[in-house]
Amino acid sequence: DKALVIELVGKHFAVPALEALFFQRRAKQSRGLDRVSADSFQKNLKSEVQRISDRLLSGTYKFSPYMEMLVLKGRDKAPRVIARATVRDKLLLAALKNVLHEALPHEVPRKLPNQVVRDLLFSLAAHADVEIVRADISSFYDSIPHAKIEKMLASRLGCVDTVALAVRALRVPVVPVNY
């Protein structure tokens, strides 16, 4: 419902909520393309958070390009590409995630992956005649149809600005470290 989403956006993107979220996620903050550390960001927290909130609520927020990080997966395997956002963008993305979780409670799995695996192993132990097939989908994230996600979000949220923000987050370019 659009009214609920607008209320949630106001709640999660307000300056006090963003400040609190920064301190909740402080340990997970790392440098993005702008090379601003969590310590540096914290020194200007009030003005940074106010800037995020103002730009979000006015619809003018622009994401910085994500920094490409390569994680080695082993000999003879292509590295995994990880996209690292700036501290500012991570804070906004965390607030957006909170909005989406509250607005779409039945769409977001609440179990942690480890719990899902534990439940699966327990279920398998009870049924000895079951086999497991393991698969890895190459380029999985690259193949996600953004247009379908946008359409689904638009139909379920009803708030054009929130959908547009989520879609912009999906479409941020990933660039090399020295870009």
Side-chain angles (χ1 to χ4, degrees), residues 13 18 21 52 56 61 63 87-97 165 169:
F13 292 140
L18 289 171
L21 186 59
I52 292 170
L56 269 170
Y61 189 89
F63 289 94
V87 172
R88 181 182 303 112
D89 289 348
K90 283 181 193 174
L91 185 56
L92 178 137
L93 290 168
L96 178 61
K97 176 193 67 98
L165 181 65

Side-chain angles (χ1 to χ4, degrees), residues 73 80 134-144:
K73 294 181 359 181
R80 175 166 295 156
R134 183 173 179 232
D136 187 9
I137 301 170
S138 64
S139 302
F140 174 76
Y141 290 105
D142 298 337
S143 65
I144 295 174

Side-chain angles (χ1 to χ4, degrees), residues 126-169:
H127 300 90
D129 59 336
V130 176
E131 294 182 27
I132 296 177
V133 176
R134 183 173 179 232
D136 187 9
I137 301 170
S138 64
S139 302
F140 174 76
Y141 290 105
D142 298 337
S143 65
I144 295 174
H146 292 172
K148 284 185 179 181
I149 292 173
E150 183 175 2
K151 198 173 185 179
M152 182 275 300
L153 285 174
S155 71
R156 290 190 172 96
L157 294 178
C159 182
V160 175
D161 293 336
T162 305
V163 172
L165 181 65
V167 170
R168 283 198 319 268

Side-chain angles (χ1 to χ4, degrees), residues 11-145:
K11 171 184 158 186
H12 288 287
F13 292 140
V15 171
L18 289 171
E19 287 177 352
L21 186 59
F22 173 80
F23 287 110
Q24 280 177 356
R25 301 184 54 82
R26 174 77 174 75
K28 296 180 181 179
Q29 301 294 355
S30 55
R31 297 171 197 245
L33 195 63
D34 63 359
R35 297 290 187 201
V36 173
S37 68
D39 291 334
S40 297
F41 190 87
Q42 186 174 341
K43 288 176 187 173
N44 302 312
L45 185 62
K46 290 255 187 243
S47 63
E48 289 286 357
V49 166
Q50 186 66 53
R51 184 179 316 145
I52 292 170
S53 183
D54 291 346
R55 289 182 180 170
L56 269 170
L57 298 175
S58 69
T60 60
Y61 189 89
K62 294 197 183 326
F63 289 94
S64 298
Y66 298 147
M67 183 170 66
E68 176 184 81
M69 302 297 296
L70 300 177
V71 178
L72 299 177
K73 294 181 359 181
R75 184 178 303 223
D76 300 326
K77 292 185 180 179
R80 175 166 295 156
V81 178
I82 305 291
R84 183 181 288 168
T86 62
V87 172
R88 181 182 303 112
D89 289 348
K90 283 181 193 174
L91 185 56
L92 178 137
L93 290 168
L96 178 61
K97 176 193 67 98
N98 291 342
V99 168
L100 294 174
H101 278 205
E102 286 186 47
L104 305 169
H106 302 295
E107 307 289 333
V108 181
R110 295 290 180 206
K111 285 187 179 179
L112 295 173
N114 290 343
Q115 184 61 46
V116 172
V117 170
R118 267 188 235 112
D119 292 349
L120 178 62
L121 290 173
F122 180 76
S123 179
L124 288 172
H127 300 90
D129 59 336
V130 176
E131 294 182 27
I132 296 177
V133 176
R134 183 173 179 232
D136 187 9
I137 301 170
S138 64
S139 302
F140 174 76
Y141 290 105
D142 298 337
S143 65
I144 295 174

